[in-house]
């Protein structure tokens, strides 16, 4: 019992360190975007999204390279994506003044649809690994190779290219009063703190998995995902409270696109071929697809995310956490141990 309490305390400290580092990183990223004259939607979809997604990227690299637990990183990515879809927009709506948060056709038909494509492409990548690079005598397991990891990265390149085209058509003026060198320095310091905090979160997830005798990636979906998703929540809430709903929702979708198409392949490219258990991945991705369908539905209706719909999203996330708790204590076995 004391070990579990210690691991939870380690997770709390890691979350605090990630939070502080992400605050520095995101503030500097926003200043860099303003200094370079980046449009609002692109700022949310790429600059703010990549900055707030840095903990997820680091979680994949740390869990893979230091702990040989690639699935913890994948679990953290999926858990973070669910958190971003269901909790962050809902919290932004409830925290902001007004009757809801407007979405707009550009977000719904460009950002949201591209995010759906990102979910499908990652699931396809894992499926191809099981089909063409199966592990002998290991059931539905396969090696995700570097060539397979290039597929989602190429898709992210297409995403960045579409954002670049939007930038060329925009007339946003750069703020020359911002010190770009100082902003890059704080960006680097924030990244160092994030690496330290994520290491604590991953160690806590590995330890809790051993303590409860459950797959460690389940704790990656909760402990690591929640700790690394806090930056996304504060970026979007702050944008929503200041009346910049486009930046708020674009950050959510852009962050998830970055996580799925860059963070997961990054671990594979650095470490080489990595094994994946398909029976672990499918239930996780299945709930992510469900959350995606619900999210797209509520932001499309009247092009507005209302307070009532925000509470619906929070309720669905509560079901997600409840399911993970039942899996962790062995009450349900949707995810085979």
């Amino acid at each position: 019992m004391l070990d579990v309490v210690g691991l939870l305390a380690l997770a709390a400290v890691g979350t605090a360190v990630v939070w502080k580092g992400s605050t520095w990183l995101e503030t500097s990223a926003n200043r860099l975007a303003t200094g370079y004259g980046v449009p609002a939607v692109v700022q949310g979809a790429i600059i703010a999204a990549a900055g707030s997604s840095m903990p997820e990227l680091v979680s994949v690299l740390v869990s893979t390279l230091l702990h040989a637990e690639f699935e913890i990183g994948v679990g953290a990515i999926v858990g973070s994506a669910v958190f971003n879809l269901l909790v962050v927009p809902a919290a932004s709506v409830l925290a902001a003044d007004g009757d809801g948060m407007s979405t707009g056709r550009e977000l719904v038909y460009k950002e949201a649809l591209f995010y759906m494509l990102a979910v499908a492409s990652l699931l396809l990548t894992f499926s191809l690994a099981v089909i063409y690079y199966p592990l002998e005598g290991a059931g539905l397991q396969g090696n995700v190779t570097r060539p397979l990891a290039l597929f989602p990265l190429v898709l992210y390149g297409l995403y960045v290219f579409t954002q670049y085209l939007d930038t060329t058509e925009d007339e946003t003026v750069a703020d020359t009063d911002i010190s770009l060198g100082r902003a890059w320095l704080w960006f680097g310091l924030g990244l160092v703190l994030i690496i330290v905090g994520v290491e604590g979160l991953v160690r806590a997830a590995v330890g809790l998995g051993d303590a409860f005798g459950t797959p460690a990636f389940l704790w990656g979906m909760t402990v690591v995902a929640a700790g690394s998703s806090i930056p996304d929540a504060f970026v979007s809430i702050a944008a929503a409270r200041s009346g910049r709903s486009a930046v708020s929702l674009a950050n959510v979708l852009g962050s998830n696109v970055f996580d799925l198409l860059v963070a997961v392949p990054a671990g594979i490219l650095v470490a080489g071929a990595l094994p994946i258990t398909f029976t672990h991945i499918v239930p996780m991705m299945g709930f992510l697809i469900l959350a995606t369908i619900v999210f797209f539905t509520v932001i499309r209706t009247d092009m507005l995310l209302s307070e009532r719909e925000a509470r619906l999203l929070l309720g669905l996330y509560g079901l997600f956490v409840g399911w993970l708790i039942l899996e962790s204590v062995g009450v349900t076995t949707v995810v085979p141990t």
Side-chain angles (χ1 to χ4, degrees):
M1 183 62 183
L2 291 177
D3 291 340
V4 173
V5 172
L7 291 169
L8 292 175
L10 176 62
V13 172
T15 299
V17 174
V18 169
W19 183 4
K20 187 62 177 179
S22 297
T23 301
W24 290 356
L25 187 143
E26 290 154 20
T27 300
S28 59
N30 289 332
R31 293 180 64 83
L32 288 170
T34 304
Y36 287 114
V38 177
V41 172
V42 178
Q43 178 183 347
I46 294 183
I47 305 298
S52 60
S53 292
M54 201 58 63
E56 287 89 341
L57 173 61
V58 173
S59 70
V60 173
L61 296 177
V62 168
S63 61
T64 300
L65 299 179
L66 298 184
H67 301 276
E69 289 279 3
F70 175 59
E71 287 191 0
I72 285 185
V74 177
I77 294 297
V78 175
S80 177
V82 173
F83 185 93
N84 289 345
L85 284 178
L86 301 181
V87 176
V88 175
S92 300
V93 170
L94 297 177
D97 296 327
D99 298 327
M101 187 164 52
S102 61
T103 55
R105 292 187 175 276
E106 182 177 8
L107 279 169
V108 172
Y109 292 114
K110 177 188 169 187
E111 303 296 337
L113 289 179
F114 202 99
Y115 160 68
M116 292 181 185
L117 184 60
V119 175
S121 67
L122 186 62
L123 185 58
L124 176 61
T125 300
F126 291 147
S127 301
L128 292 175
V130 175
I131 294 172
Y132 293 106
Y133 303 99
L135 296 177
E136 296 294 335
L140 289 176
Q141 285 187 320
N143 272 326
V144 187
T145 62
R146 282 174 173 158
L148 286 178
L150 291 177
F151 172 59
L153 283 174
V154 169
L155 185 58
Y156 189 76
L158 174 62
Y159 178 71
V160 173
F161 178 69
T162 60
Q163 300 292 356
Y164 166 75
L165 295 179
D166 289 342
T167 304
T168 59
E169 298 170 359
D170 191 90
E171 297 181 357
T172 303
V173 179
D175 187 349
T176 57
D177 294 332
I178 291 179
S179 173
L180 296 177
R182 185 178 179 85
W184 279 113
L185 174 62
W186 282 105
F187 187 95
L189 292 175
L191 181 59
V192 171
L193 275 186
I194 288 173
I195 293 173
V196 173
V198 167
E199 166 64 8
L201 290 172
V202 173
R203 284 184 179 272
V206 173
L208 289 169
D210 293 338
F212 285 92
T214 53
F217 77 88
L218 286 175
W219 296 97
M221 292 180 70
T222 50
V223 173
V224 182
S228 60
S229 294
I230 285 179
D232 295 310
F234 283 95
V235 168
S236 293
I237 290 173
R241 290 179 66 90
S242 62
R244 297 177 296 142
S245 59
V247 175
S248 177
L249 288 176
N251 174 66
V252 167
L253 296 170
S255 178
N256 279 6
V257 170
F258 183 91
D259 289 346
L260 297 173
L261 299 184
V262 177
V264 173
I268 300 167
L269 292 177
V270 171
L274 292 171
I276 198 75
T277 304
F278 204 58
T279 52
H280 291 171
I281 296 301
V282 169
M284 292 192 298
M285 296 296 290
F287 197 97
L288 178 58
I289 292 172
L290 172 63
T292 300
I293 293 172
V294 174
F295 176 78
F296 181 81
T297 301
V298 298
I299 66 171
R300 175 60 185 87
T301 53
D302 300 324
M303 295 295 176
L304 179 74
L305 180 58
S306 66
E307 291 188 6
R308 181 179 180 182
E309 291 168 336
R311 293 188 178 91
L312 171 64
L313 295 180
L314 289 177
L316 184 57
Y317 187 75
L319 292 177
F320 174 68
V321 173
W323 168 57
L324 290 182
I325 292 174
L326 294 177
E327 287 286 329
S328 299
V329 297
V331 176
T332 60
T333 56
V334 177
V335 180
T337 58

